[in-house]
Amino acid sequence: VFEQKAQGSPCMALSALSPARVVGVLLIMAPAAEAFLAPALAPRVASGRLHTSLADCTHKRGSGKLRMGRSLRMGLTGGIGESLLDWERERDDEKDDGMFYDSPRLVYHQDHESLGRLTSLYAQVLPAEGLLVDLMASWTSHLPEKSRFSKVVGVGMNLAELQSNPQLDEWRVHDLNADPALPLPEAHADAVIIAAGLQYLTHPEHVLADLRRVLRSEASVLVVSWTDNFFAGKAIRGWKERDSESRVGLVLRLLADAGFENATFHREISADPVWTGADKLYAVTASRGLGPVVAPPAMPASRGTPPQQAQEDPMKDLMQMSDVPTSGG
């Protein structure tokens, strides 16, 4: 389509489309992009003409086109650590996460109707028994009341919240942005849930790659869920600047890059409720898969402000923010 519409010029074709539409389509189609596009693009890639044309877009239209060009190359090459660009990992609030999460927030971050749909999904897809890890856990895990897990382990940022969660048997306080390696042994868990948390990870592919190490078997399940609500200051730009559908594509791509298989978007629970005002719920499930567990790449230096260098009162933002996250939809 690019070739026919732009007389052989990828630059002209990309210029004709909005950045959001190009990035959204590429993210959703990325798993199949290589199979469909590589044969047709191989001569241009081999000669360097494809990359040169995309570089011309950058020269003519500014840095925004560079982001699209790099996204296209990522869609063709894949690999852990390539799902997000550097600018997409940035946050409005780069101060130490420990300060932001220092005070407990014993509140719900989505309404009870959507939480009920999440609990129903857990009842359908989680194993009937075994060890469950609630990653990025808080004071409630929304698990079915009749769950028979041998143990539920929570990993979160605030000790008071974890201690207040009646569904946790054990907990670990751990900052995944400072260290994406989970404080759990290999082949430890039968299932993992991440509710309303993935958008806060600056290197989600590192965390997801290590999750595969922690999961016990190829059939072990991961459930990632979210709504359009989030703390705007701590969510990464790559999440905030995508629309709802594009976020689904991003999650699917992150899971595929980390080696997860059978990733499924549960659109049936994402439908808007009958009554007005309820939160729209999004959820993706995946299995660990048979592929080898690939060690994530080395973490770059942290961009956050070290606690000892913070000049402002860390409680200032907490007092100004509501306990109800900002809507990003």
Side-chain angles (χ1 to χ4, degrees):
V1 173
F2 280 166
E3 293 290 336
Q4 293 176 0
K5 295 292 184 182
Q7 295 78 45
S9 171
C11 182
M12 292 177 62
L14 289 174
S15 300
L17 299 176
S18 69
R21 179 167 297 181
V22 172
V23 173
V25 169
L26 288 173
L27 285 170
I28 293 172
M29 297 182 61
E34 185 170 1
F36 284 99
L37 298 180
L41 295 177
R44 296 178 64 86
V45 173
S47 65
R49 287 184 291 146
L50 176 63
H51 288 187
T52 300
S53 297
L54 292 173
D56 291 342
C57 290
T58 302
H59 176 72
K60 296 175 182 178
R61 300 297 300 272
S63 60
K65 297 301 179 182
L66 175 61
R67 295 169 186 170
M68 287 200 299
R70 292 177 64 186
S71 295
L72 178 58
R73 288 196 291 272
M74 290 172 187
L76 295 174
T77 59
I80 293 177
E82 296 183 341
S83 296
L84 290 169
L85 306 180
D86 290 343
W87 68 270
E88 293 182 293
R89 304 179 193 278
E90 297 171 357
R91 303 171 296 173
D92 291 341
D93 180 2
E94 290 285 9
K95 293 192 292 292
D96 185 79
D97 289 339
M99 295 189 296
F100 183 84
Y101 295 105
D102 183 61
S103 297
R105 294 178 175 86
L106 303 182
V107 297
Y108 293 104
H109 299 292
Q110 57 196 83
D111 60 50
H112 293 285
E113 201 279 341
S114 65
L115 289 174
R117 282 182 280 142
L118 178 59
T119 300
S120 297
L121 178 66
Y122 285 161
Q124 296 172 26
V125 302
L126 292 177
E129 55 187 16
L131 190 145
L132 173 74
V133 173
D134 184 354
L135 194 62
M136 308 185 76
S138 183
W139 68 287
T140 178
S141 296
H142 316 299
L143 298 171
E145 293 184 0
K146 297 183 179 180
S147 298
R148 298 183 179 180
F149 299 107
S150 60
K151 184 182 293 185
V152 179
V153 179
V155 179
M157 287 288 291
N158 186 279
L159 178 60
E161 291 180 3
L162 297 173
Q163 290 176 332
S164 299
N165 189 332
Q167 295 184 304
L168 298 182
D169 299 299
E170 295 179 7
W171 50 82
R172 313 274 195 279
V173 176
H174 186 77
D175 184 350
L176 290 169
N177 282 337
D179 180 6
L182 275 67
L184 298 168
E186 184 175 345
H188 184 64
D190 298 285
V192 175
I193 58 176
I194 306 176
L198 193 70
Q199 61 266 35
Y200 303 118
L201 295 175
T202 56
H203 289 81
E205 59 272 66
H206 293 66
V207 176
L208 292 173
D210 199 52
L211 265 182
R212 294 190 66 240
R213 174 189 64 83
V214 171
L215 288 169
R216 196 184 309 275
S217 71
E218 64 272 12
S220 296
V221 177
L222 168 65
V223 183
V224 182
S225 64
W226 67 94
T227 68
D228 289 322
N229 303 324
F230 50 80
F231 293 111
K234 283 299 183 181
I236 62 172
R237 286 182 61 189
W239 188 271
K240 290 169 57 177
E241 297 188 11
R242 282 176 167 84
D243 61 21
S244 299
E245 292 297 323
S246 297
R247 290 170 189 160
V248 175
L250 174 62
V251 173
L252 293 172
R253 178 66 193 279
L254 288 167
L255 292 172
D257 282 351
F260 283 90
E261 298 178 1
N262 305 314
T264 302
F265 171 46
H266 292 263
R267 188 176 294 276
E268 69 278 5
I269 69 165
S270 181
D272 287 317
V274 175
W275 59 283
T276 303
D279 291 323
K280 191 172 182 179
L281 178 67
Y282 307 85
V284 172
T285 60
S287 58
R288 194 203 72 177
L290 291 169
V293 177
V294 180
M299 280 283 290
S302 173
R303 293 187 299 273
T305 303
Q308 65 273 17
Q309 296 180 8
Q311 300 298 319
E312 299 180 4
D313 181 1
M315 297 301 294
K316 181 179 179 180
D317 290 340
L318 297 179
M319 291 185 290
Q320 292 178 346
M321 290 190 61
S322 167
D323 280 331
V324 180
T326 302
S327 174

